[in-house]
Amino acid sequence: MGSPGRALRRSFYAGDVLEIAPRLLNKVLVRGQVAARIVEVEAYRGEEDPASHAFRGPTPRNATMFGGPGRLYVYFTYGMHWCANVVCAPAGSAEAVLLRAAAPLRGVDAMRARRPKSRRDVDLANGPAKLCEAFAITGMDDGADLVTGDRGIRILDDGIPPPTAPGVSGRVGIRVAERVPWRFFVPGDHHVSRGPHLQVHW
DNA sequence: CTTTGGATCGTCT
DNA sequence: GACGATCCAAAGG
């Protein structure tokens, strides 16, 4: 067992989303007894990014994206799935990092209970909606503060650094700006979701 | 192994 | 009224 680690501070989230996204790799998402290492993320860049939920300005749904760094933006999609983002940059910027995949560290039994369809441990959180299901993240957690842990959700640094050379590719599942290389992952990690695992050069 | 289609509903046009 | 920052089971090679 590794050390529990300490929570990232507000300042960690306050900068540019394209710098913060790769730095979130190998950090640890924790809720109660459940913990998993973040191995895949995507950056969404507010009102400048056609693929961002904030592209057309503030709405009731995306309010958390505009509210300032260090909170969780949770949205519902495809009529059945929740996905979670970490809000970055100063309030009003609406930049966010989608948490796409994580490697289970602790609380595997709880994750399996929430995701009985997972046949193997590698399937517990290797996708944005699977990750939310494994952590029981729903719309009730939209706006959760990851710094204070007001809803029990935190992101910790346990001393494992981000990859020196993260994998980079286009983002998954979008139909606009798909060539923008804003997906980052831990190279070679088996818990990365489907999609291009190979490093892409642009 | 890869491909395909169904499920299912909040959100914004 | 159309469309998802998806997942899964089933069918096909």
Side-chain angles (χ1 to χ4, degrees), chain A residues 18-34:
Chain A
L18 290 179
E19 296 179 8
I20 296 167
R23 291 178 55 204
L24 278 169
L25 294 175
N26 283 335
K27 296 295 183 287
V28 180
L29 182 66
V30 179
R31 176 174 229 179
Q33 298 306 310
V34 173

Side-chain angles (χ1 to χ4, degrees), chain A residues 26 37-39 102-103 122 185-193 197:
Chain A
N26 283 335
R37 192 174 305 282
I38 297 166
V39 297
V122 74
F185 54 94
V186 177
D189 194 291
H190 200 240
H191 301 268
V192 170
S193 77
H197 288 214

Side-chain angles (χ1 to χ4, degrees), chain A residues 150-165:
Chain A
D150 59 359
R151 311 218 198 144
I153 307 171
R154 288 185 169 84
I155 297 180
L156 309 185
D157 182 347
D158 70 347
I160 305 291
T164 307

Side-chain angles (χ1 to χ4, degrees), chain A residues 16-182:
Chain A
D16 189 293
V17 72
L18 290 179
E19 296 179 8
I20 296 167
R23 291 178 55 204
L24 278 169
L25 294 175
N26 283 335
K27 296 295 183 287
V28 180
L29 182 66
V30 179
R31 176 174 229 179
Q33 298 306 310
V34 173
R37 192 174 305 282
I38 297 166
V39 297
E40 179 186 348
V41 299
E42 283 176 359
Y44 285 86
R45 209 171 201 192
E47 296 180 277
E48 309 169 11
D49 178 3
S52 168
H53 289 171
F55 182 56
R56 299 184 188 277
T59 67
R61 173 173 74 156
N62 66 25
T64 298
M65 284 187 83
F66 287 86
R71 290 178 182 274
L72 204 61
Y73 164 53
V74 182
Y75 69 91
F76 185 67
T77 191
Y78 291 107
M80 65 190 85
H81 295 306
W82 298 99
C83 295
N85 298 252
V86 177
V87 178
C88 299
S93 304
E95 301 187 356
V97 177
L98 174 66
L99 301 178
R100 281 200 56 93
L105 293 175
R106 299 196 307 275
V108 171
D109 291 344
M111 293 191 198
R112 294 198 69 90
R114 293 164 180 164
R115 289 190 37 74
K117 292 176 210 164
S118 289
R119 294 205 149 273
R120 312 165 300 172
D121 285 356
V122 74
D123 298 316
L124 287 171
N126 63 344
K130 299 178 193 178
L131 184 156
C132 281
E133 196 167 28
F135 279 83
I137 292 172
T138 71
M140 305 231 355
D141 299 306
D142 181 47
D145 194 328
L146 299 169
V147 179
T148 65
D150 59 359
R151 311 218 198 144
I153 307 171
R154 288 185 169 84
I155 297 180
L156 309 185
D157 182 347
D158 70 347
I160 305 291
T164 307
V168 181
S169 82
R171 295 174 292 185
V172 175
I174 59 173
R175 305 186 62 159
V176 293
E178 73 278 2
R179 289 179 55 80
V180 179
W182 289 354

